[in-house]
Amino acid sequence: IRVLDVGQGDAIAVGTPGGRWFLVDTGAGSGERLARDLVRAGIPRLELLVLTHPDLDHMGAAADLLRTLPVAGVADGGVIRGTGAYRDVLAAAEEGGVPWRVLHRGTAWEADGVAFRVLHPTGEPGGPDDPNDRSVVLLVSWGDFDVLLTGDVSVAVEEALLPDLGPVELLKVGHHGSRTSTGDPLLERIRPRISVISVGRGNRFGHPAPEVLARLREKSGRILRTDRQGSVRIVGREDGSFTVAHEGKFPD
């Protein structure tokens, strides 16, 4: 798992033992730079680009990335926005002949023994008005090593997902550490051994919120932040053990 430092946004690469890579979100920066960073990290091609929801800090670099790096498919949760950035992603996929699929609760696939399971959105008509609460939520499992990627969903959605969840080794903290996410019920259920906050240094939102950090200190293991540690690399093993490395860009 590579949680890439893309500033105030998300970009998480998931690799399989067979060398196949899946990218969840792209951040809002340069897609060409992101492509270069991926190639330098040994990721020359993507099996699937998952866009959790159509906010710029999650898909702003997607169009350029699609025009720069080989991508076999794109998927999202079916939230359509009429913004120029969103239309550009659609156009880039069409130009490259990249198939687009919609993910919903129950969608699952496997690659080299790694299981990907979509927990949210439901795929039913209607749903929350806030695009954050319609984010794609993914549970990724390799043996006893489990990763929960929560997009920007709020505490209300987290609580609805509790019956599907158990302890995890890695949590991608929801909504960059916003106070509206990563509630006590979720943390009580999953008890992550490591939590990574993808967040921009000195961001104007005040992320991560002090109350979220307090909850994580009480109910999580190690906490890493891309605004301090830079990009984070976690290598999981089938027995649930893992190693962690990071750039260590800034002091705590």
Side-chain angles (χ1 to χ4, degrees):
I1 311 292
R2 292 182 179 270
V3 182
L4 302 169
D5 179 13
V6 292
Q8 183 69 13
D10 276 7
I12 302 106
V14 180
T16 73
R20 293 194 277 181
W21 286 92
F22 301 78
L23 183 66
V24 181
D25 291 328
T26 68
S30 164
E32 294 179 357
R33 176 182 175 184
L34 177 59
R36 289 195 299 270
D37 289 346
L38 290 170
V39 171
R40 279 197 293 265
I43 307 172
R45 180 182 184 277
L46 296 174
E47 298 296 323
L48 186 67
L49 169 60
V50 177
L51 303 175
T52 59
H53 61 297
D55 282 355
L56 277 175
D57 58 338
H58 290 257
M59 50 71 69
D64 285 344
L65 181 69
L66 285 167
R67 295 183 174 111
T68 308
L69 195 75
V71 179
V74 182
D76 71 353
V79 180
I80 298 172
R81 274 197 167 174
T83 61
Y86 185 74
R87 291 196 300 270
D88 199 20
V89 179
L90 292 172
E94 185 175 8
E95 290 164 12
V98 181
W100 194 301
R101 62 187 294 200
V102 174
L103 303 176
H104 55 79
R105 177 181 173 84
T107 303
W109 68 92
E110 186 175 296
D112 302 321
V114 178
F116 296 78
R117 182 181 169 202
V118 178
L119 304 182
H120 188 74
T122 64
E124 298 173 356
D129 292 330
D130 186 348
N132 289 336
D133 272 349
R134 297 172 69 182
S135 293
V136 174
V137 177
L138 273 176
L139 181 64
V140 183
S141 301
W142 164 238
D144 292 330
F145 179 75
D146 296 302
V147 179
L148 183 61
L149 307 176
T150 58
D152 280 0
V153 297
S154 68
V155 168
V157 174
E158 292 172 357
E159 292 182 1
L161 299 178
L162 293 181
D164 297 309
L165 296 171
V168 304
E169 280 59 51
L170 172 62
L171 169 68
K172 194 289 296 186
V173 173
H175 204 177
H176 322 291
S178 165
R179 62 181 178 81
T180 60
S181 302
T182 319
D184 278 323
L186 176 71
L187 293 175
E188 287 281 1
R189 178 63 61 93
I190 66 173
R191 290 285 176 171
R193 294 169 62 191
I194 183 169
S195 298
V196 182
I197 307 171
S198 186
V199 62
R201 188 169 175 81
N203 68 85
R204 63 187 176 90
F205 305 102
H207 295 159
E211 53 264 52
V212 172
L213 290 173
R215 291 196 290 265
L216 289 170
R217 292 188 190 107
E218 180 183 356
K219 297 181 170 67
S220 174
R222 187 176 180 185
I223 304 167
L224 294 174
R225 301 166 45 164
T226 59
D227 62 337
R228 294 185 175 178
Q229 280 79 40
S231 295
V232 178
R233 179 175 180 263
I234 303 102
V235 178
R237 305 183 185 92
E238 284 187 283
D239 64 1
S241 64
F242 57 87
T243 59
V244 179
H246 58 78
E247 296 173 318
K249 283 187 173 181
F250 306 104
D252 291 343

